[in-house]
Amino acid sequence: MLNKMDTLEQLEELLNKEEKFFLLKHSLTCPISHAAYQEYQKFADENQEVPTYYLAVQDSRPLSDAIAEKFQIKHESPQAILFANGNPLWNASHWKITKRSLASTFTDNR
């Protein structure tokens, strides 16, 4: 199940609480982002033990910008980020976000 994130406070709480989780930056108007979201949803449905979150860039632009600035990750949309122990471990954008890439990334970084 995907959980929506809207605030920097929610992100900070997750960074302190979850050992590892995925976050997807998603554009509500981009067809490429829609395809990535569908892949992300498939991954989440098949890997329910993996915490999966998303933010809608149009709804949460300050959060999206804060992530890019705090972690020095160039903003892209769509963009998937794997966080581990409070830091980004991996990120991918656009067509590189697939159910397969998410699964192999999570497995490779256990």
Side-chain angles (χ1 to χ4, degrees):
M1 179 176 141
L2 297 182
N3 300 290
K4 189 172 185 201
M5 182 184 305
D6 294 304
T7 68
L8 187 55
E9 291 77 20
Q10 288 173 305
L11 175 64
E12 292 295 339
E13 183 179 323
L14 279 176
L15 291 170
N16 291 320
K17 180 180 95 172
E18 295 286 356
E19 180 182 336
K20 195 180 293 185
F21 66 93
F22 274 110
L23 173 65
L24 178 73
K25 289 184 173 186
H26 171 56
S27 169
L28 301 172
T29 57
C30 171
I32 296 170
S33 192
H34 178 72
Y37 185 89
Q38 289 179 317
E39 290 290 310
Y40 191 68
Q41 179 73 60
K42 288 179 203 172
F43 169 79
D45 289 347
E46 292 179 16
N47 299 276
Q48 294 187 8
E49 74 284 0
V50 179
T52 49
Y53 297 85
Y54 75 98
L55 68 85
V57 176
Q58 290 88 338
D59 296 340
S60 304
R61 190 62 190 206
L63 173 58
S64 180
D65 291 343
I67 292 168
E69 184 177 318
K70 177 176 179 152
F71 297 106
Q72 298 299 296
I73 299 173
K74 178 185 170 213
H75 167 76
E76 297 189 70
S77 178
Q79 183 175 45
I81 304 169
L82 174 62
F83 286 93
N85 300 312
N87 293 299
L89 192 60
W90 170 91
N91 75 87
S93 66
H94 296 81
W95 297 113
K96 293 178 184 168
I97 302 169
T98 64
K99 181 179 80 165
R100 178 184 228 165
S101 71
L102 296 164
S104 68
T105 296
F106 192 79
T107 301
D108 291 349
N109 290 289
R110 284 194 179 219

